[in-house]
Every structure is written in structure tokens, then in C-alpha cells.
């Protein structure tokens, strides 16, 4: 079974630039999550999708972050404009259903200069 | 509200010795509890979970965890540590009575196994 795929693996941008991350969940997983993991901290949820609908985006900084999951499969997370404090690892996870364990992708490490 | 604490930033153990990584939680109802492991430059991998039933849960790579309701703890254990167990370990809790499917993760504990 293929795991959760994410790209790119690494990204370096300057502040005020925009960046986009892509995630392909495990086939058949209806639930998809984006997490932000700052160095030394546990993952923090940004947004949860159930199929192509948003379930929880209460912790997403909507003035600069956006996410979509077209057709209920792949998802993209965008930051525009980026700030220095956005430097983190962005993890995508999927789950067969909301009450099951998560399967995480390798993450995208973002450095904002 | 649900919360989880991992009181140790780092745990050091010699190879072959037993290891324990501590986790305590706070929920209003009965918790769902999870342990994940993160190897360098990798995403988190699921190790084990407690939903209901036997308080001792067995998971991947020889790890197990014991649910203790009176102490609100879910410590991760392994009888004999391997150098390859060195990684970052995260405890997570979800309170289904709160209506949320989102688990809260701890800050993580770095496990270092010395040869």
C-alpha cells in the first residue's frame, strides 16, 4: 500500500513570497489533515477535510493560509504572503475515517528567510 | 478541553535496558490515546492506540503502552531498547465525548538509546 505523498520535500523562500504544498493521501482515505510542526513542538492542526469538505479550519490563519481538496483526493496548502514564523514542517496525514489513526506523509520543510 | 503532557524532553537509555516514555492526559470523558514515532526527516508513524478494553496495548516494533485511568497516564514501554529506537515520540489524546475527531499532540520526547 502506497503511503501519503507530499511535495516538495524542502522549500526555501523569502518573506512575503507565496508557496504551495501538495499532498496525495492513501487511496480510499476520506479524511485528510494538514498539520504545522514547529521545531521543538508537537504537530498543530491547520485544517481537516472529510472528502472535499472542510470539517475544521479553526486554527488556520485564513488571512494568509488557504487549502483545498478538489475531488476529495489530492490537497494543496498555500501560504501567501509568507512570514518568518511560518518556517516549519508541514505534515499531511490521512485516515480511513475521522476516528481512526493517522497516516502521515514525510512532510515539507519550509524555511522563510 | 483535551490536553496531553510529555514531561520529559529527552530520555536516555542504554541498549538492552527497558525504556519508558511518559505521557499524561486530561479529558472530560473516556480518552482515545495514541503513540506516534518520528524518525529524522520522516513523517510521524503510528505505533499503537488505546480505545477500550485491555489496559495493556501492544504495538509495532515491540512497543507497548499501559493505560492507567486513575493516574491519567499512557506511558510507552519496551522491555529491551535498541539503538534504532532512537527517535522522537509523540503522545496524542482525543476526547470523543467532546465531539471532536481531532487529537491533541504532546510536545514530543526525544529517545536516545546508547550502544
Amino acid at each position: 500500500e502506497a503511503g501519503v505523498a507530499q511535495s516538495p520535500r524542502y522549500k526555501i523562500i523569502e518573506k512575503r513570497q507565496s508557496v504551495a504544498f501538495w499532498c496525495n493521501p492513501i487511496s480510499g482515505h476520506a479524511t485528510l489533515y494538514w498539520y504545522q510542526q514547529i521545531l521543538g513542538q508537537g504537530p498543530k492542526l491547520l485544517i481537516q477535510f472529510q472528502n472535499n469538505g472542510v470539517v475544521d479550519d479553526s486554527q488556520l490563519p485564513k488571512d494568509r493560509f488557504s487549502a483545498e481538496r478538489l475531488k476529495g483526493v489530492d490537497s494543496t496548502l498555500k501560504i501567501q504572503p509568507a512570514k518568518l514564523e511560518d518556517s516549519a514542517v508541514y505534515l499531511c496525514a490521512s485516515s480511513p475515517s475521522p476516528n481512526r489513526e493517522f497516516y502521515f506523509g514525510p512532510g515539507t520543510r519550509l524555511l522563510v528567510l | 478541553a483535551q490536553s496531553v503532557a510529555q514531561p520529559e524532553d529527552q530520555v536516555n537509555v542504554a541498549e538492552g535496558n527497558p525504556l519508558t516514555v511518559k505521557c499524561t492526559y486530561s479529558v472530560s470523558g473516556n480518552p482515545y490515546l495514541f503513540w506516534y514515532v518520528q524518525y529524522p526527516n520522516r513523517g510521524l508513524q503510528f505505533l499503537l492506540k488505546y480505545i477500550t478494553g485491555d489496559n495493556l496495548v501492544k504495538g509495532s516494533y515491540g512497543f507497548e503502552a499501559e493505560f492507567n485511568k486513575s493516574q491519567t497516564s499512557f506511558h510507552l514501554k519496551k522491555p529491551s531498547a535498541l539503538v534504532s529506537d532512537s527517535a522522537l515520540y509523540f503522545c496524542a489524546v482525543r476526547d470523543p465525548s467532546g465531539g471532536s475527531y481531532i487529537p491533541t499532540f504532546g510536545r514530543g520526547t526525544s529517545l536516545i538509546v546508547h550502544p
Side-chain angles (χ1 to χ4, degrees):
Chain A
E1 174 181 80
V4 176
Q6 288 187 249
S7 67
R9 293 294 309 275
Y10 305 93
K11 190 74 177 179
I12 300 175
I13 61 173
E14 295 188 350
K15 60 183 179 182
R16 291 188 290 274
Q17 286 186 324
S18 62
V19 64
F21 312 130
W22 173 82
C23 172
N24 181 243
I26 293 174
S27 178
H29 281 195
T31 314
L32 185 147
Y33 309 81
W34 282 101
Y35 277 84
Q36 181 192 57
Q37 186 180 17
I38 293 173
L39 188 65
Q41 299 181 18
K44 185 188 84 170
L45 179 75
L46 291 175
I47 189 167
Q48 177 194 358
F49 291 95
Q50 182 68 19
N51 296 309
N52 61 351
V54 175
V55 176
D56 188 335
D57 64 355
S58 58
Q59 298 189 76
L60 186 74
K62 298 181 186 64
D63 58 333
R64 298 185 301 106
F65 285 65
S66 64
E68 60 183 9
R69 190 183 185 196
L70 299 176
K71 301 180 181 178
V73 182
D74 294 6
S75 177
T76 55
L77 176 69
K78 297 179 182 178
I79 307 175
Q80 182 179 13
K83 293 185 175 181
L84 297 177
E85 59 262 35
D86 298 332
S87 295
V89 177
Y90 290 85
L91 296 166
C92 179
S94 70
S95 179
S97 63
N99 62 350
R100 292 279 304 277
E101 62 271 17
F102 295 1
Y103 295 81
F104 283 87
T108 296
R109 187 175 298 273
L110 173 67
L111 179 60
V112 182
L113 302 176
Chain B
Q2 60 191 33
S3 65
V4 62
Q6 294 181 242
E8 302 155 317
D9 289 335
Q10 184 171 302
V11 170
N12 291 276
V13 64
E15 187 173 33
N17 283 0
L19 69 88
T20 299
V21 182
K22 296 180 180 177
C23 171
T24 58
Y25 66 88
S26 176
V27 298
S28 56
N30 294 316
Y32 289 9
L33 294 154
F34 306 83
W35 275 103
Y36 289 83
V37 59
Q38 186 175 33
Y39 298 102
N41 299 315
R42 302 275 296 274
L44 280 72
Q45 295 179 35
F46 169 74
L47 273 181
L48 51 80
K49 67 180 177 183
Y50 172 83
I51 304 297
T52 186
D54 195 346
N55 288 345
L56 185 63
V57 179
K58 295 187 183 296
S60 307
Y61 312 122
F63 284 92
E64 58 188 28
E66 185 170 10
F67 171 63
N68 189 317
K69 188 171 184 177
S70 63
Q71 297 186 8
T72 61
S73 67
F74 189 57
H75 301 331
L76 182 70
K77 300 180 180 182
K78 188 173 183 180
S80 178
L82 300 173
V83 172
S84 57
D85 293 330
S86 298
L88 197 54
Y89 290 81
F90 290 94
C91 182
V93 66
R94 183 165 79 80
D95 182 1
S97 68
S100 170
Y101 290 113
I102 307 300
T104 298
F105 285 83
R107 292 170 53 91
T109 298
S110 178
L111 172 66
I112 299 174
V113 181
H114 302 278

